[in-house]
Amino acid sequence: MSTPGAYFRLVRIGWVLTREGVFAAIPAEHLPPSARFAKKVAGLLARRKARFEERSGRLARAVERLGPSYVKIGQFLATRPDVVGAELAADLSQLQDRMATFPQSAAKAAIEGSLGRSVDTLFAEFHEPMAAASIAQVHPAVVLREGRREKVAVKVIRPGIRQRFAADIEAMYLVSRMQERFLPYTRRLKPVEVTRTLEQTTKVEMDLRLEAAAISELAENTKEDSGFRVPKVDWERTGRDVVTMEWIDGIKMSDIEGLRVAGYDLNRLAETLIQSFLRHTLRDGFFHADMHQGNLFVDEAGHIVAVDMGIVGRLGKKERRFLAEILYGFIMRDYQRVADVHFEAGYVPSHHDAASFAQAIRAIGEPIHGQPAETISMAKLLTLLFEVTELFDMQTRPELVMLQKTMVVVEGVARTLNPRFNMWRASEPVVGSWIRDNLGPKRIVTDLHDGLHAALRVAEAVPEIAARTERFSKDIMAMSEKGLRFDAATAEAIGKAEARHARSGRIALWVIAAALVYMAWRLV
């Protein structure tokens, strides 16, 4: 159940969005009369300055006003255009994860509390923060290793952010539950499940040990790859609230002129970036899901170095095969195969007609084959594919949406390096190799191997399955003879839950009324 605080926070969100002109910027067409009236009222309550600002940036500015945890929520929703729509997702993608720094003394206290050692014993030097984001901030520091001074980057969690996020996510749950209740057509998007994913993702991001583990895993996966690497983690100086890693001296990939002056081959960098991302996705099923230009550097050796791995994505074998077969089907113009893959994977409900779905896929693929290869966007292809699947009741697949969003970002970085970059030619060595290994004869051997392992696990579990089946059968027989009964404790718990529900509803009404009175007083 939502607490009164969640309703207060929801009212505050609505007030900030109103004052920043977000509601007033919503297009009036297709809105019912009551919503149009509310839009006009919201326009009157908007700040005078906000009325003349560009519509596209209002939501991002409002979210930044709400604070760090809402910036993180906004950045997450920017990766879910299937939930908030392409226009709002584009607006939220403008969010700048640059916050005011917190005091160095608070950072030192967080480090000492997490590692149980003083900062002076851990670091030879510990400097003022150089950058701060919604979750953490980064300090340059120096450590002594075997008599050598080594520069490191120390990322420290923002004090109180976990408690603040826990309170703010409750308001998100309230919104998602209201959305499912009052907008039934949005249930396909699973808003409550999306909020749960956001909660879990952010909890993981707030445990810096898990970010360090992600960096370590990607480093292990890419140790034999050329042209791409991640920083080394200093595990001795890493805990829940702090992660210490190698300091990267390099040129940001956003500095195109700097890369050009330094003599780097921009086309080669773009090719390495795309191939590395596809290799991580298809080969490893584990990829950096926040590969924007600010998180990518080019070091002196010409290697692309990816940092800030708080957000990562994973794809299972089925999803990787799904992705590869889609790309292969579009390349070969085998639209029926692309459609069949969707049905085989269970992504499109079986009551739909596969031929009709293949026809819709053809509407995406044929225009692409009439274009020069360098103008074809793989990310746009996946975006159009998800738009078509919406017509056929395809359920939201968060892992695929995250992949699509990351591919949009990575492809955008590659195109800034070379606007005429040929995505398909660069992708072919990785995609082609994966298809040959996993969709050809090798696939049969792999499937047999996996099937044998699965059969052995089932055989090992047979005694336990039999015992559980026997217990379940006895319970069913007892229910058929004596009926289903609640014990006294269960009945009492149900009564208390109903009472809490009624009480919370009354409290919520009083909270909303009080908030409206407060806003009216502010206006006067």
Side-chain angles (χ1 to χ4, degrees):
M1 296 300 298
S2 299
T3 64
Y7 289 94
F8 267 121
R9 282 185 289 274
L10 188 58
V11 170
R12 177 175 174 260
I13 293 170
W15 177 246
V16 172
L17 295 179
T18 299
R19 293 290 287 165
E20 291 299 323
V22 175
F23 293 136
I26 297 174
E29 56 267 25
H30 308 303
L31 289 179
S34 58
R36 291 186 183 183
F37 175 75
K39 179 180 180 298
K40 288 182 180 178
V41 173
L44 295 174
L45 296 175
R47 291 187 302 110
R48 181 173 298 179
K49 184 180 178 181
R51 298 173 194 172
F52 300 100
E53 292 174 335
E54 285 191 25
R55 175 183 294 185
S56 62
R58 294 182 186 181
L59 180 57
R61 285 189 292 272
V63 172
E64 287 173 351
R65 270 194 62 189
L66 287 168
S69 56
Y70 286 102
V71 168
K72 182 52 60 181
I73 291 171
Q75 289 175 326
F76 174 83
L77 292 177
T79 69
R80 299 301 304 269
D82 58 315
V83 175
V84 299
E87 188 174 340
L88 287 181
D91 195 347
L92 289 169
S93 67
Q94 299 177 37
L95 282 171
Q96 299 296 309
D97 203 3
R98 293 193 294 268
M99 298 288 167
T101 60
F102 53 87
Q104 189 176 29
S105 57
K108 288 184 176 181
I111 293 171
E112 292 172 355
S114 183
L115 301 180
R117 296 165 62 187
S118 70
V119 169
D120 293 338
T121 61
L122 290 165
F123 304 100
E125 296 178 19
F126 188 81
H127 300 289
E128 292 288 339
M130 59 169 292
S134 56
I135 297 293
Q137 70 182 24
V138 177
H139 295 256
V142 174
V143 298
L144 294 177
R145 297 191 199 280
E146 300 176 354
R148 292 182 296 104
R149 296 169 63 83
E150 183 177 318
K151 192 174 181 181
V152 293
V154 185
K155 185 174 180 179
V156 187
I157 207 76
R158 184 176 286 275
I161 188 64
R162 293 189 183 91
Q163 295 80 358
R164 184 165 183 177
F165 180 80
D168 292 335
I169 195 68
E170 190 179 9
M172 277 288 296
Y173 272 114
L174 177 59
V175 171
S176 59
R177 284 193 290 268
M178 292 172 66
Q179 183 180 347
E180 287 195 351
R181 181 175 180 181
F182 298 111
L183 301 173
Y185 63 90
T186 66
R187 290 173 187 165
R188 179 186 69 84
L189 301 175
K190 304 178 181 176
V192 173
E193 186 174 317
V194 169
T195 304
R196 193 173 294 116
T197 302
L198 164 63
E199 181 181 26
Q200 180 60 27
T201 300
T202 310
K203 281 182 177 178
V204 168
E205 193 173 354
M206 289 178 184
D207 189 333
L208 299 185
R209 293 170 300 188
L210 300 181
E211 179 177 349
I215 296 172
S216 176
E217 182 175 349
L218 191 60
E220 188 172 322
N221 291 342
T222 60
K223 61 185 177 184
E224 302 297 331
D225 297 349
S226 62
F228 182 93
R229 71 182 185 91
V230 292
K232 297 176 183 176
V233 175
D234 183 341
W235 285 102
E236 180 186 353
R237 296 168 177 83
T238 293
R240 190 183 73 143
D241 296 339
V242 56
V243 57
T244 303
M245 64 190 78
E246 169 192 1
W247 181 270
I248 301 299
D249 279 317
I251 302 173
K252 277 192 176 183
M253 292 193 78
S254 56
D255 184 4
I256 305 299
E257 187 58 31
L259 293 171
R260 188 177 286 114
V261 169
Y264 294 112
D265 184 339
L266 300 188
N267 191 66
R268 179 60 184 163
L269 287 175
E271 185 176 279
T272 301
L273 180 65
I274 291 296
Q275 290 183 351
S276 296
F277 171 71
L278 288 173
R279 198 174 288 117
H280 305 162
T281 303
L282 292 174
R283 181 192 65 192
D284 308 322
F286 180 69
F287 59 92
H288 189 322
D290 197 19
M291 290 180 71
H292 60 76
Q293 290 172 311
N295 285 340
L296 297 170
F297 294 80
V298 180
D299 66 12
E300 293 180 351
H303 298 128
I304 296 174
V305 187
V307 301
D308 194 3
M309 287 191 59
I311 304 175
V312 294
R314 291 189 184 274
L315 291 180
K317 184 173 290 186
K318 183 175 76 171
E319 286 75 25
R320 284 182 270 165
R321 185 174 294 174
F322 169 75
L323 173 64
E325 292 220 43
I326 284 175
L327 295 176
Y328 187 71
F330 275 109
I331 292 170
M332 302 304 296
R333 302 174 75 174
D334 187 351
Y335 305 118
Q336 187 61 53
R337 180 57 191 150
V338 176
D340 290 341
V341 168
H342 280 76
F343 283 88
E344 290 170 9
Y347 295 151
V348 175
S350 59
H351 65 267
H352 285 289
D353 179 49
S356 297
F357 187 60
Q359 180 184 353
I361 297 298
R362 181 179 292 273
I364 298 173
E366 285 304 296
I368 288 176
H369 283 280
Q371 298 180 34
E374 63 268 17
T375 67
I376 300 174
S377 167
M378 191 182 299
K380 181 65 173 176
L381 171 67
L382 290 179
T383 301
L384 292 173
L385 182 64
F386 290 147
E387 289 177 359
V388 167
T389 54
E390 181 180 351
L391 300 175
F392 289 82
D393 303 320
M394 177 174 167
Q395 296 290 315
T396 296
R397 304 289 305 186
E399 70 280 6
L400 296 180
V401 175
M402 181 176 281
L403 168 69
Q404 178 258 335
K405 179 65 178 179
T406 308
M407 190 172 285
V408 169
V409 173
V410 173
E411 187 175 74
V413 175
R415 287 274 161 85
T416 60
L417 293 169
N418 178 6
R420 297 185 61 81
F421 182 66
N422 189 323
M423 292 287 303
W424 297 96
R425 184 180 301 161
S427 303
E428 197 284 328
V430 179
V431 177
S433 173
W434 196 91
I435 286 173
R436 285 189 294 273
D437 290 344
N438 293 272
L439 303 183
K442 286 186 178 180
R443 170 185 172 180
I444 299 174
V445 177
T446 302
D447 287 350
L448 286 173
H449 181 267
D450 293 344
L452 180 59
H453 272 280
L456 288 173
R457 287 195 296 270
V458 170
E460 292 172 353
V462 164
E464 179 63 23
I465 292 172
R468 291 185 179 182
T469 302
E470 184 179 0
R471 288 196 298 269
F472 180 70
S473 176
K474 289 179 179 179
D475 291 341
I476 292 293
M477 290 296 295
M479 287 171 56
S480 65
E481 293 175 1
K482 302 176 183 178
L484 180 63
R485 299 180 179 181
F486 292 132
D487 60 23
T490 303
E492 183 180 357
I494 292 174
K496 288 181 178 179
E498 289 297 320
R500 278 198 305 271
H501 178 74
R503 186 166 58 251
S504 297
R506 289 194 298 271
I507 292 173
L509 290 174
W510 280 107
V511 168
I512 293 171
L516 292 174
V517 170
Y518 170 73
M519 286 192 292
W521 175 75
R522 284 289 297 272
L523 289 173
V524 172

